[in-house]
Amino acid sequence: MGDRRQSNLNGAYYGPSAPPLPQKYHHPVRRGRSGGCNPFSCCCGCLFNCLCTCLCQLIFSILFSIGHIIFICWLIFRPNAVKLYATNASLTEFTLDNNTLHYNLALNLTIRNPNKRIGIDYDRIEARAFYEDERFASTELTPFYQGHKSTNSLTPEFKGQKLVLLGNEEISNYKR
């Protein structure tokens, strides 16, 4: 067996040959286009597309900012629901005569504002009295301001008579 050397390699072994490099396809670069529409440098080929993109980003930014402002205000004030309690009730007359309801009802109501930083101005406050889902009286109460962390008492009175149209079942419930 003889020496098998190739004459063009100068007697040295250089390993296997390297694979050929892949062919790269270069896209032609359009003038003024840098991979998309940037709202701060409108160099797009399509001005309408750029304006729509800018307008959408502006609207989104405004809504996002408003949402943050509302959330921060909520964190600062932490509003809680006002609590209303009927502490006392006096019903001295409640008679039904020929579909006419005669009534005399006095209530003591307590309104509690649990908020630490929010006061409430009651410009118009109304109390309503119902029987069997039928309103038989309402009264306007005196407007007032309720400060934060405070409790106020109200005393609405319902006295009079009212024609109420009740069915046979409601009348039998009343008689019971």
Side-chain angles (χ1 to χ4, degrees):
M1 301 203 64
D3 200 2
R4 291 183 164 183
R5 293 188 184 157
Q6 294 181 355
S7 62
N8 62 346
L9 293 180
N10 235 358
Y13 179 71
Y14 293 101
S17 61
L21 294 175
Q23 294 286 343
K24 291 185 180 179
Y25 177 72
H26 295 285
H27 294 284
V29 178
R30 292 185 185 155
R31 186 173 168 222
R33 199 139 190 164
S34 60
C37 183
N38 184 351
F40 301 109
S41 64
C42 289
C43 299
C44 296
C46 179
L47 183 63
F48 179 73
N49 184 25
C50 184
L51 289 176
C52 288
T53 303
C54 291
L55 184 63
C56 288
Q57 287 181 352
L58 179 68
I59 290 171
F60 178 76
S61 297
I62 289 171
L63 291 176
F64 190 74
S65 298
I66 289 172
H68 270 88
I69 290 169
I70 290 172
F71 180 68
I72 289 170
C73 288
W74 180 82
L75 283 176
I76 291 171
F77 293 113
R78 298 272 177 139
N80 294 313
V82 173
K83 299 185 179 10
L84 180 95
Y85 302 100
T87 54
N88 191 12
S90 172
L91 183 62
T92 56
E93 182 182 11
F94 197 74
T95 58
L96 184 63
D97 185 32
N98 294 331
N99 287 334
T100 302
L101 182 65
H102 300 272
Y103 55 89
N104 187 359
L105 173 65
L107 297 172
N108 287 332
L109 302 176
T110 301
I111 300 177
R112 173 81 180 135
N113 180 6
N115 295 300
K116 293 179 182 177
R117 296 181 178 101
I118 300 173
I120 302 169
D121 195 9
Y122 296 95
D123 291 332
R124 182 176 180 269
I125 187 166
E126 178 183 23
R128 298 176 183 170
F130 289 85
Y131 177 71
E132 294 285 337
D133 293 330
E134 180 87 26
R135 184 175 78 180
F136 62 87
S138 67
T139 183
E140 291 280 333
L141 301 173
T142 307
F144 66 96
Y145 173 79
Q146 185 175 28
H148 60 281
K149 287 282 192 185
S150 65
T151 303
N152 292 70
S153 295
L154 302 172
T155 55
E157 293 185 27
F158 305 98
K159 185 174 182 171
Q161 61 187 19
K162 170 87 179 195
L163 178 66
V164 291
L165 301 174
L166 299 175
N168 292 336
E169 186 177 334
E170 287 92 0
I171 291 173
S172 66
N173 285 344
Y174 171 79
K175 288 180 180 177
R176 274 189 277 154

